[in-house]
Each structure stands twice: as structure tokens, then as C-alpha cells.
Amino acid sequence: MTTQKLIVGNWKMNGSLSFLKENLSYWQTQKIFHQIVICPPFPLLPFAKEHLNSPFISLGAQDCHNKVSGAFTGDISASILYEVGCQYVLIGHSERRQYHNETNELIKEKGETAIANHLIPIICIGENLQEREQGKTLSILSNQVTTSIPSKGSNFCVAYEPVWAIGTGKTASLNDITKAHSALRQQLGQNIKLLYGGSVTIDNYLEILSLDNVDGVLIGGASLKKDDFSRMICNEPANSTR
Ligand code: PGA
């Protein structure tokens, strides 16, 4: 059985053209083991596409609009993202939900538009600290799945990202991740890839990836650490048969 996982690096509004160039040339010298998706800021995508030459690395965008085109100044359409070489798009990241007031309904539309335009959406869901403290994690996740997952098409991934764990250095416990992913697996079935995100680092990613029902990780801060991220994407777990 293969232990190859999906590792997604979300640069957010960080990085630069020179950082991208540095990473691209470094990755060319590495033996990449996992399936990787890099999500740099939008303007860097065409350059990344032109210079990427690894079959293991794909490009993702950090968001797209729910409409394919129109008078939406400053927004980005799924069809153009596909045209410039993206295969994936993050949808409903908690920072989009928080700072851009994105609702589950809008996220669902975005996911459907992404699928209709040949992109694989990675739909982000997760409870906030208050919901967690009130013991509502599983019901919040179940509701987010019901209301924000595309109803058309099945080619999407779901990332469980507890809001309180994003960028805080506080990772969910292995037990919490196991419980959440097992509930998501039951609700979503075997074919949907389930990722965990929230303070994933070089020190904890292997044990997270070893959990049942964890098909990959979504990494923010640690994807900006060139050496750490490169080790993470190249590290072939023990007993692999790939
Ligand atoms: P983090 O971010 O790894 O820095 O916690 C994860 C994310 O926002 O997707």
C-alpha cells in the first residue's frame, strides 16, 4: 500500500518572486516523494507554471470567485486560474471566512464553479475556539460539510482546519484529529481526500500523516521555511512501497 500523501503549501500573502525561484530550483535537485500542491499568491502562478518541471508538484490558487466572469474588480475567476496552470484551489479558508465574510453558501458556489472549470477545490472547514470549548466540534463540522460542500461533482478535497490551530502553534491533538476525520469519513465516504491543517510543522507532520483517514496536510507557516518544507515533501515514510 502506498503511503504517498497530498501535501499542500499555502503561502497566503507571503513569499516573493525570488523566494519562488529559490524554491523551484531547490526542488529540482530533490527526490520528491509526496504529491505536492503549492499555493503562492496569484501573480506568481504563471511564473511557477512556466518553471515547474516536476510531475509531483501541482499549482493551487488561494481562492476563486463564485462566478466565472463579470464586473468583479479585484476578484479572480476559476477559468483563468485553470488557464494559467492551476489544478487546485483553496476554498473557504478560515481567513476568507473571517476577513471577507464568506458564508457556507458562497463557499459551496465557489466549489461548484471551481469544479465546473476543471479545478479541484480544497474546501476548508473547522470550528473556532468557542465552539470547541462548548463541545460542538463534530456538529459544526457536520453542518459545514452539509452546507459548504459542492453538490455537483465529487472531485474535491476537504481540509479540517480548526480555526484556533491556524498560525497559533497549537496543533489539534492526534486524538482530536482522529475523531474529526473519522466523522468526516463517515459523512463524505471513502473517495474524498481529507487533509488536516493548523500549525503543521516538520516536528509533527509525520505522526499526523500516519493517522487513519488523514490523506494529507495543509501547511501555512511551515511552507515558507524552505528547508523544512523541502524535507517534508521529500521524506519517504518507512515501509513505503511506492
Ligand atoms: P498554519 O496555517 O500551518 O500556519 O497554521 C495553515 C493554514 O492556514 O492553512
Side-chain angles (χ1 to χ4, degrees), residues 179-222:
K179 275 194 205 153
H181 279 238
S182 140
L184 291 171
R185 178 65 73 216
Q186 275 186 24
Q187 194 172 358
L188 287 160
Q190 292 301 322
N191 296 331
I192 304 298
K193 282 202 167 126
L194 300 178
L195 315 184
Y196 169 79
S199 296
V200 175
T201 67
I202 186 83
D203 297 320
N204 61 22
Y205 84 106
L206 275 179
E207 53 185 7
I208 294 172
L209 286 179
S210 73
L211 297 174
D212 280 351
N213 297 312
V214 173
D215 303 307
V217 282
L218 175 48
I219 304 177

Side-chain angles (χ1 to χ4, degrees), residues 86-91 114-115 118-122 155-157:
C86 287
Q87 280 177 260
Y88 291 82
V89 58
L90 300 177
I91 301 282
I115 291 174
H118 320 291
L119 297 174
I120 301 174
I122 300 172
N155 200 11
F156 61 87
C157 308

Side-chain angles (χ1 to χ4, degrees), residues 10 12 93 161 165-167 198-200 218-221:
N10 174 16
K12 310 191 181 187
H93 189 280
E161 296 209 293
I166 296 177
S199 296
V200 175
L218 175 48
I219 304 177

